[in-house]
Amino acid sequence: QFSSNIVFPTGSDLLKLLKQNEKQVRAIHKRFEMLNIPFVEVSYEKLYGTGNYTDKDRESAEEWMKLFQHLGVGPQKGLTMEKVQEAFSLAPTNKKSRNETIDNFEAVAQTLTGTK
């Protein structure tokens, strides 16, 4: 049976991969700063709230405003996730949660437990 789910490495292989990724991101940030290229870092998880208008949604709206402020467009204060979701022109392509899209989610979660 074909699965469109992803399988991540686990254990020390996953930790090594994440450290390499973090090092690459830091190098890119350093390069941007060296070249005086303005950038903003936002979190995908923070951009997309839970949809039930909780504290997490306030954090999500703040993340959107952070992005808009950097771009100099859109609402830069007073934004709510309700307004963000009303403005979405495309429906999500996948409604599955991470534990449904990562075949080895439990092993990955176990590897990451207690790490930064």
Side-chain angles (χ1 to χ4, degrees):
Q1 176 180 342
F2 175 76
S3 172
S4 61
N5 291 352
I6 189 167
V7 176
F8 282 102
T10 57
S12 61
D13 290 338
L14 177 58
L15 297 176
K16 181 179 177 184
L17 178 70
L18 292 172
K19 284 179 185 176
Q20 288 172 337
N21 181 66
E22 191 174 326
K23 186 177 180 181
Q24 289 171 338
V25 168
R26 281 195 312 268
I28 290 167
H29 287 182
K30 192 172 190 174
R31 182 82 172 178
F32 283 165
E33 289 167 0
M34 244 177 48
L35 297 171
N36 292 320
I37 298 172
F39 67 95
V40 64
E41 188 170 359
V42 294
S43 162
Y44 177 87
E45 288 81 6
K46 287 182 183 177
L47 285 173
Y48 294 94
T50 61
N52 59 6
Y53 314 113
T54 64
D55 288 338
K56 185 172 181 172
D57 283 337
R58 273 190 287 285
E59 185 179 66
S60 294
E62 289 170 6
E63 197 78 348
W64 280 100
M65 288 185 288
K66 179 176 157 183
L67 183 60
F68 290 145
Q69 287 167 358
H70 176 75
L71 296 173
V73 299
Q76 298 183 11
K77 58 183 175 177
L79 184 64
T80 65
M81 277 309 292
E82 186 173 19
K83 289 179 183 176
V84 170
Q85 290 168 344
E86 287 171 1
F88 284 158
S89 61
L90 300 174
T93 57
N94 189 350
K95 293 184 180 186
K96 291 181 177 180
S97 64
R98 276 182 239 153
N99 61 337
E100 295 173 302
T101 57
I102 300 173
D103 273 345
N104 60 338
F105 180 82
E106 291 300 323
V108 170
Q110 184 176 356
T111 296
L112 297 176
T113 299
T115 65
K116 122 180 167 173

